[in-house]
Short mmCIF file of all heavy atoms in Angstrom, two decimals:
data_model
loop_
_atom_site.label_atom_id
_atom_site.label_comp_id
_atom_site.label_asym_id
_atom_site.label_seq_id
_atom_site.Cartn_x
_atom_site.Cartn_y
_atom_site.Cartn_z
N MET A 17 -2.78 5.13 -1.64
CA MET A 17 -3.07 4.63 -0.32
C MET A 17 -1.80 4.36 0.48
O MET A 17 -1.74 4.72 1.63
CB MET A 17 -3.88 3.36 -0.45
CG MET A 17 -5.10 3.38 0.38
SD MET A 17 -6.09 1.88 0.29
CE MET A 17 -6.03 1.37 -1.38
N THR A 18 -0.86 3.69 -0.09
CA THR A 18 0.37 3.40 0.63
C THR A 18 1.52 4.09 -0.07
O THR A 18 2.21 3.53 -0.88
CB THR A 18 0.63 1.89 0.74
OG1 THR A 18 0.67 1.36 -0.58
CG2 THR A 18 -0.44 1.21 1.54
N PRO A 26 5.65 2.94 3.64
CA PRO A 26 4.29 2.55 3.27
C PRO A 26 3.58 1.89 4.46
O PRO A 26 4.23 1.32 5.34
CB PRO A 26 4.49 1.54 2.13
CG PRO A 26 5.90 1.10 2.24
CD PRO A 26 6.66 2.19 2.91
N LEU A 27 2.27 2.00 4.48
CA LEU A 27 1.49 1.39 5.56
C LEU A 27 1.47 -0.13 5.41
O LEU A 27 1.44 -0.65 4.29
CB LEU A 27 0.04 1.89 5.50
CG LEU A 27 -0.17 3.36 5.81
CD1 LEU A 27 -1.62 3.75 5.50
CD2 LEU A 27 0.17 3.68 7.23
N PRO A 28 1.45 -0.85 6.51
CA PRO A 28 1.30 -2.31 6.44
C PRO A 28 -0.06 -2.67 5.84
O PRO A 28 -1.04 -1.93 5.99
CB PRO A 28 1.38 -2.75 7.90
CG PRO A 28 1.95 -1.61 8.65
CD PRO A 28 1.61 -0.37 7.87
N GLN A 29 -0.13 -3.82 5.19
CA GLN A 29 -1.37 -4.24 4.55
C GLN A 29 -2.53 -4.35 5.54
O GLN A 29 -3.67 -4.08 5.19
CB GLN A 29 -1.19 -5.58 3.83
CG GLN A 29 -0.40 -5.44 2.56
CD GLN A 29 -0.54 -6.63 1.68
OE1 GLN A 29 -1.31 -6.58 0.72
NE2 GLN A 29 0.15 -7.70 1.95
N GLU A 30 -2.23 -4.75 6.77
CA GLU A 30 -3.31 -4.89 7.77
C GLU A 30 -3.98 -3.54 8.02
O GLU A 30 -5.20 -3.46 8.16
CB GLU A 30 -2.76 -5.44 9.09
CG GLU A 30 -2.11 -6.79 9.00
CD GLU A 30 -0.66 -6.72 8.53
OE1 GLU A 30 0.05 -5.74 8.85
OE2 GLU A 30 -0.24 -7.64 7.82
N VAL A 31 -3.17 -2.49 8.08
CA VAL A 31 -3.71 -1.14 8.31
C VAL A 31 -4.54 -0.70 7.11
O VAL A 31 -5.64 -0.16 7.26
CB VAL A 31 -2.57 -0.14 8.59
CG1 VAL A 31 -3.10 1.28 8.66
CG2 VAL A 31 -1.83 -0.51 9.87
N VAL A 32 -4.03 -0.94 5.92
CA VAL A 32 -4.75 -0.58 4.69
C VAL A 32 -6.07 -1.32 4.63
O VAL A 32 -7.13 -0.73 4.36
CB VAL A 32 -3.91 -0.88 3.43
CG1 VAL A 32 -4.71 -0.64 2.17
CG2 VAL A 32 -2.63 -0.06 3.43
N ARG A 33 -6.04 -2.61 4.94
CA ARG A 33 -7.26 -3.43 4.91
C ARG A 33 -8.30 -2.89 5.89
O ARG A 33 -9.47 -2.74 5.56
CB ARG A 33 -6.93 -4.88 5.24
CG ARG A 33 -8.10 -5.80 5.00
CD ARG A 33 -7.74 -7.25 5.28
NE ARG A 33 -8.53 -8.17 4.50
CZ ARG A 33 -9.85 -8.25 4.53
NH1 ARG A 33 -10.54 -7.44 5.29
NH2 ARG A 33 -10.49 -9.11 3.78
N ASP A 34 -7.87 -2.58 7.11
CA ASP A 34 -8.79 -2.04 8.12
C ASP A 34 -9.41 -0.71 7.67
O ASP A 34 -10.61 -0.49 7.85
CB ASP A 34 -8.07 -1.84 9.45
CG ASP A 34 -7.72 -3.14 10.15
OD1 ASP A 34 -8.29 -4.20 9.79
OD2 ASP A 34 -6.87 -3.10 11.06
N GLU A 35 -8.59 0.16 7.08
CA GLU A 35 -9.09 1.45 6.61
C GLU A 35 -10.10 1.29 5.48
O GLU A 35 -11.10 2.00 5.42
CB GLU A 35 -7.93 2.35 6.18
CG GLU A 35 -7.06 2.82 7.32
CD GLU A 35 -7.82 3.66 8.33
OE1 GLU A 35 -8.59 4.55 7.93
OE2 GLU A 35 -7.64 3.42 9.54
N ILE A 36 -9.84 0.36 4.58
CA ILE A 36 -10.79 0.10 3.49
C ILE A 36 -12.09 -0.41 4.06
O ILE A 36 -13.18 0.06 3.69
CB ILE A 36 -10.21 -0.88 2.46
CG1 ILE A 36 -9.03 -0.25 1.70
CG2 ILE A 36 -11.29 -1.34 1.46
CD1 ILE A 36 -8.27 -1.21 0.80
N GLU A 37 -12.02 -1.37 4.98
CA GLU A 37 -13.24 -1.92 5.58
C GLU A 37 -14.05 -0.84 6.29
O GLU A 37 -15.28 -0.80 6.18
CB GLU A 37 -12.90 -3.05 6.55
CG GLU A 37 -12.50 -4.32 5.86
CD GLU A 37 -12.18 -5.44 6.83
OE1 GLU A 37 -11.75 -5.16 7.98
OE2 GLU A 37 -12.35 -6.60 6.44
N LYS A 38 -13.37 0.04 7.03
CA LYS A 38 -14.08 1.11 7.75
C LYS A 38 -14.70 2.13 6.80
O LYS A 38 -15.72 2.73 7.12
CB LYS A 38 -13.12 1.83 8.70
CG LYS A 38 -12.78 1.04 9.93
CD LYS A 38 -12.07 1.90 10.95
CE LYS A 38 -10.59 1.98 10.63
NZ LYS A 38 -9.80 2.67 11.66
N PHE A 44 -14.80 4.85 0.32
CA PHE A 44 -14.48 3.96 -0.79
C PHE A 44 -15.74 3.38 -1.41
O PHE A 44 -16.65 2.95 -0.70
CB PHE A 44 -13.57 2.81 -0.33
CG PHE A 44 -12.28 3.27 0.28
CD1 PHE A 44 -12.08 3.17 1.64
CD2 PHE A 44 -11.27 3.79 -0.50
CE1 PHE A 44 -10.89 3.60 2.22
CE2 PHE A 44 -10.08 4.22 0.06
CZ PHE A 44 -9.90 4.12 1.42
N LEU A 53 -9.94 -5.50 -1.29
CA LEU A 53 -9.84 -6.44 -0.18
C LEU A 53 -9.49 -7.84 -0.67
O LEU A 53 -8.70 -8.55 -0.04
CB LEU A 53 -11.14 -6.46 0.63
CG LEU A 53 -11.45 -5.18 1.40
CD1 LEU A 53 -12.84 -5.24 2.01
CD2 LEU A 53 -10.39 -4.91 2.45
N ILE A 56 -5.79 -7.84 -1.47
CA ILE A 56 -4.99 -7.89 -0.25
C ILE A 56 -4.99 -9.31 0.32
O ILE A 56 -3.96 -9.82 0.74
CB ILE A 56 -5.51 -6.87 0.78
CG1 ILE A 56 -5.19 -5.45 0.31
CG2 ILE A 56 -4.93 -7.14 2.17
CD1 ILE A 56 -5.84 -4.36 1.13
#
Side-chain angles (χ1 to χ4, degrees):
M17 231 181 322
T18 57
L27 293 171
Q29 286 196 101
E30 300 82 34
V31 173
V32 174
R33 190 178 208 301
D34 290 343
E35 291 298 315
I36 292 172
E37 285 181 332
K38 286 192 276 187
F44 302 107
L53 292 173
I56 290 171

